[in-house]
Amino acid sequence: MNDNRSGENNLKRGLNFIEAIVEEDLKEGKNGNRVHTRFPPEPNGYLHIGHAKAICLDFGIAERYGGKCNLRFDDTNPIKEETEYIESIREDIHWLGYDWEKREYYASDYFGQLYNFAVDLIRKGLAYVDDQSSDLIAEQKGTPTVPGIESPYRSRPAEENLSLFEKMNSGAFPEGSRVLRAKIDMASPNMHMRDPIIYRIIKHPHHRTGNRWHVYPMYDFAHGQCDYFEGITHSLCTLEFEVHRPLYNWFIDQLQTDDYRPRQIEFNRLNLNYTVLSKRKLLELVKEGKVNGWDDPRMPTLCGLRRRGYTPESIRNFVASIGYTKVEAINDVSLLEFAIREDLNKRAPRVMAVLNPLKVILTNYPEGKTEELETINNPEDESMGVRTIPFSKEIYIERDDFMEDPPKKYFRLAPGREVRLKSAYIIKCVDYKTDEQGNILEVYCTYDETTRSGGPDADRKVKGTLHWVSVLHALEAEIRLYDRLYSDPDPSGHRGKDPKTFLNPDSLKIITGYVEPGLKNSKPLDHFQFQRVGYFNLDPDSTPGRLIFNRTVPLRDTWSRGQASGT
Ligand code: ATP
Ligand code: MG
């Protein structure tokens, strides 16, 4: 009853289950009322949108409860880790809007403490050196229903273990020849408790400690203890670590000197349809040239999303909208696209760009005349002001905004019909020209001078309004139309099939379009709404002589209506 009521109360206050636990702990005065979390990436790749879910939680909880959040690089495996990744991780967390101040730590900061702890366990008879191969050790682990087999080295005397472990570390033995194992329980129903390997020999130099160590702790032996060394109060991680928790607790039992211990709480991972979220698989895409690097705008990495035109706010809003639970689920990528549309609707100026041009000639417009017409930057936000765009006798409209023989409900341009040119005049189609195959080459219209803004017929209504650019003034631009990287909703969900089998062959289409001239002053990553087309941003590779725009998202969700999102 009581539980139920506090549950309802938490929901009302918008608390997720983790925040509710943290508040309970604070109410009970645990850990001297400290809240201290950490975000622990392994620097073996770039961060992706799944990591954003963890980052928003780790930093968000600290923010909400006046606590701290550490950045800790989990660099226990010297083979896969690189400083390039460390730098990108820092940049991406800052970009998302979070800061760890001076608290940047590395699992390798604790190699000494972890080594001493391992020596301690050996002395207490709680760890031993096993000379068997890792294959054999794996075989002896048993299955969840069949207990494991004890290693013949399990009862080695502590002195012998100590001397062997020291020799492992001094480089006396080859990789793979021996490991250090915790001595727990080979019959435990929890497989992780069956004498897990805690140290292995690796002779590859470490990016921070060089050749100082020849033994390296396993992730499971480092993670919980690093939390403990840093005074972490709430160690938040994804659900797959739930079964590791008893092991982490067992290590902390051996270390603990007072009441303090980190509390691990697991939550559901972020999974997205049409997307792969695994650093290993993303690295394959980069290495095999399936994409143009980690920051390719089709990648679900934070740097890829940034280059695509996603804002940190949109990612945080998306993460908040899906929430944190104990149940694994696959989220619809259209929710992410919804979040960026909603954000850019507020902040992106509306501009004119024609992606598939058709020339319209205004037969009654004076030759050589140019006008500067005023237009508002964003109807959602008047503070964004106004600008002018040049108008002249020849303009481009979108090819599919004209039809020779339109159906009844077509309200765009057609012979004899009128449309308004956005922020300009009403025009009427009087003629058009085709080639021998019947392709439309040019359209001829008259314009009505009285319909100009401020003119007597400025308010005259017609059914269609088209975007346009002046042929004389428009700038040519390379337009990169990105689409989903995979055409299958669950690319990793096919047994025995590489997700790369399901790459969408049309995930990038490059075309040449025309944009209004003011865009030559835009800066890398500036956002725009190309009116009636979609959201775009200026690619960082753009130069004044070669403008490049990336499509962030089309204006509407065309996928959910079962169509490919074309231009
Ligand atoms: P990957 O499978 O992509 O390699 P990882 O879990 O191995 O991811 P880490 O660098 O170890 O990557 O992750 C750092 C933190 O981010 C961990 O606490 C992890 O639980 C969390 N994390 C990773 N992927 C996701 C995800 N998809 N959703 C939520 N949190 C995630
Ligand atoms: Mg990991």
Side-chain angles (χ1 to χ4, degrees):
M1 179 70 188
N2 223 341
D3 256 17
N4 241 335
R5 218 184 288 144
S6 68
E8 278 167 29
N9 212 356
N10 291 334
L11 266 179
K12 257 194 232 133
R13 295 181 47 220
L15 293 189
N16 63 44
F17 81 99
I18 299 165
E19 289 161 338
I21 292 173
V22 171
E23 292 201 1
E24 276 305 305
D25 287 349
L26 285 172
K27 215 168 10 173
E28 289 171 22
K30 280 194 190 156
N31 305 313
N33 283 311
R34 284 187 309 115
V35 172
H36 202 151
T37 59
R38 84 288 168 269
F39 173 64
E42 184 181 356
N44 62 347
Y46 282 64
L47 296 181
H48 53 61
I49 180 87
H51 294 113
K53 179 171 178 175
I55 292 169
C56 291
L57 182 68
D58 294 326
F59 284 92
I61 292 264
E63 246 171 46
R64 181 162 189 160
Y65 297 104
K68 292 180 177 140
C69 180
N70 294 356
L71 171 59
R72 185 199 312 137
F73 290 104
D74 160 35
D75 57 353
T76 48
N77 184 349
I79 295 162
K80 291 187 294 180
E81 293 151 9
E82 288 176 29
T83 42
E84 171 196 345
Y85 299 139
I86 292 184
E87 279 155 22
S88 75
I89 289 169
R90 287 188 193 122
E91 181 183 355
D92 289 344
I93 299 173
H94 276 148
W95 177 72
L96 271 183
Y98 298 108
D99 186 32
W100 54 99
E101 295 169 324
K102 297 220 150 39
R103 295 179 310 279
E104 176 173 309
Y105 303 118
Y106 294 78
S108 54
D109 294 340
Y110 309 107
F111 281 173
Q113 275 161 284
L114 289 168
Y115 185 89
N116 291 342
F117 178 44
V119 166
D120 241 34
L121 291 180
I122 295 174
R123 286 217 176 94
K124 287 189 194 156
L126 294 175
Y128 59 96
V129 172
D130 196 328
D131 300 358
Q132 304 181 102
S133 70
S134 53
D135 284 348
L136 196 53
I137 293 173
E139 259 171 52
Q140 294 168 348
K141 272 234 152 159
T143 69
T145 48
V146 178
I149 300 166
E150 293 190 354
S151 161
Y153 299 97
R154 200 173 195 261
S155 45
R156 233 173 193 156
E159 282 315 309
E160 191 182 330
N161 282 320
L162 270 181
S163 125
L164 283 171
F165 188 48
E166 270 161 32
K167 281 194 189 140
M168 280 167 67
N169 190 38
S170 64
F173 303 127
E175 285 186 8
S177 62
R178 285 178 170 83
V179 291
L180 185 68
R181 299 175 69 179
K183 189 170 174 177
I184 308 178
D185 179 5
M186 287 305 289
S188 169
N190 183 331
M191 301 280 287
H192 296 282
M193 301 296 273
R194 294 185 185 174
D195 290 11
I197 296 174
I198 59 177
Y199 264 95
R200 74 268 208 226
I201 302 170
I202 299 179
K203 298 210 166 161
H204 195 279
H206 187 277
H207 73 113
R208 293 185 83 236
T209 58
N211 290 312
R212 178 145 168 240
W213 303 95
H214 294 109
V215 289
Y216 288 89
M218 300 298 290
Y219 178 82
D220 274 354
F221 188 69
H223 193 77
Q225 287 94 294
C226 291
D227 283 345
Y228 182 80
F229 297 143
E230 288 178 11
I232 300 304
T233 59
H234 297 87
S235 178
L236 313 175
C237 62
T238 36
L239 284 171
E240 68 270 25
F241 291 103
E242 192 163 13
V243 287
H244 297 239
R245 183 161 17 108
L247 176 61
Y248 297 171
N249 283 336
W250 187 88
F251 291 132
I252 301 300
D253 287 342
Q254 318 305 320
L255 268 177
Q256 199 175 25
T257 54
D258 58 19
D259 276 354
Y260 158 70
R261 69 159 60 212
R263 177 171 186 176
Q264 175 171 305
I265 307 167
E266 306 87 9
F267 60 92
N268 61 338
R269 301 176 69 81
L270 171 62
N271 301 300
L272 277 183
N273 60 7
Y274 295 100
T275 309
V276 165
L277 292 182
S278 146
K279 281 182 280 187
R280 188 175 56 78
K281 290 181 186 150
L282 296 177
L283 177 63
E284 279 177 26
L285 295 177
V286 174
K287 283 210 165 136
E288 294 174 26
K290 304 288 184 197
V291 294
N292 303 313
W294 284 98
D295 70 342
D296 185 300
R298 292 166 291 182
M299 289 282 270
T301 49
L302 294 179
C303 56
L305 290 165
R306 172 163 69 234
R307 186 163 181 179
R308 175 81 170 250
Y310 277 79
T311 58
E313 291 80 2
S314 68
I315 291 175
R316 292 209 306 262
N317 290 341
F318 163 69
V319 163
S321 75
I322 59 173
Y324 298 86
T325 72
K326 282 272 189 192
V327 192
E328 289 293 5
I330 297 185
N331 293 110
D332 197 326
V333 68
S334 63
L335 289 174
L336 178 63
E337 293 164 351
F338 173 80
I340 186 61
R341 278 192 197 98
E342 200 180 45
D343 192 38
L344 291 181
N345 182 43
K346 287 180 271 172
R347 68 170 78 226
R350 272 55 169 167
V351 297
M352 304 273 206
V354 173
L355 303 199
N356 187 13
L358 173 64
K359 190 186 274 188
V360 173
I361 299 170
L362 304 175
T363 53
N364 60 340
Y365 195 88
E367 199 80 47
K369 175 173 173 179
T370 294
E371 291 177 273
E372 288 290 332
L373 302 178
E374 191 175 275
T375 186
I376 54 172
N377 287 328
N378 189 344
E380 302 284 321
D381 181 356
E382 284 187 4
S383 74
M384 289 173 68
V386 295
R387 70 179 187 290
T388 62
I389 34 177
F391 188 83
S392 64
K393 189 176 177 73
E394 294 188 354
I395 57 171
Y396 287 132
I397 63 169
E398 297 290 349
R399 205 152 260 286
D400 62 7
D401 280 340
F402 175 81
M403 272 181 99
E404 262 180 295
D405 188 15
K408 236 185 164 168
K409 292 241 155 125
Y410 184 85
F411 298 122
R412 296 175 259 170
L413 200 60
R417 300 231 188 138
E418 281 190 321
V419 292
R420 181 173 281 280
L421 294 175
K422 171 84 185 157
S423 300
Y425 302 97
I426 290 176
I427 61 170
K428 182 175 187 174
C429 174
V430 291
D431 201 1
Y432 61 96
K433 183 162 103 188
T434 60
D435 64 12
E436 274 136 43
Q437 284 80 48
N439 299 311
I440 314 286
L441 295 177
E442 284 176 356
V443 175
Y444 305 101
C445 293
T446 53
Y447 86 110
D448 179 352
E449 200 178 355
T450 65
T451 57
R452 182 193 163 144
S453 159
D457 295 324
D459 293 333
R460 181 148 79 82
K461 293 274 175 284
V462 285
K463 284 220 163 108
T465 302
L466 307 186
H467 61 279
W468 53 272
V469 291
S470 159
V471 173
L472 193 62
H473 305 90
L475 303 174
E476 208 177 274
E478 176 176 328
I479 314 275
R480 297 178 178 171
L481 299 170
Y482 292 104
D483 209 332
R484 292 176 184 170
L485 187 52
Y486 296 90
S487 41
D488 188 275
D490 187 11
S492 310
H494 302 265
R495 269 175 161 270
K497 270 202 180 162
D498 188 328
K500 290 196 289 282
T501 323
F502 304 100
L503 282 169
N504 173 7
D506 300 318
S507 60
L508 170 58
K509 224 170 21 179
I510 300 181
I511 60 170
T512 301
Y514 292 90
V515 301
E516 59 173 86
L519 294 194
K520 71 168 177 298
N521 300 320
S522 35
K523 292 187 287 304
L525 302 184
D526 275 355
H527 306 284
F528 301 99
Q529 186 196 95
F530 288 2
Q531 301 201 75
R532 300 177 62 231
V533 178
Y535 291 101
F536 288 76
N537 78 347
L538 191 77
D539 190 83
D541 282 349
S542 205
T543 59
R546 178 170 172 242
L547 292 177
I548 307 170
F549 290 94
N550 298 315
R551 179 171 68 192
T552 310
V553 274
L555 222 45
R556 269 170 229 71
D557 180 4
T558 46
W559 276 71
S560 61
R561 283 187 271 129
Q563 304 165 1
S565 46
T567 49

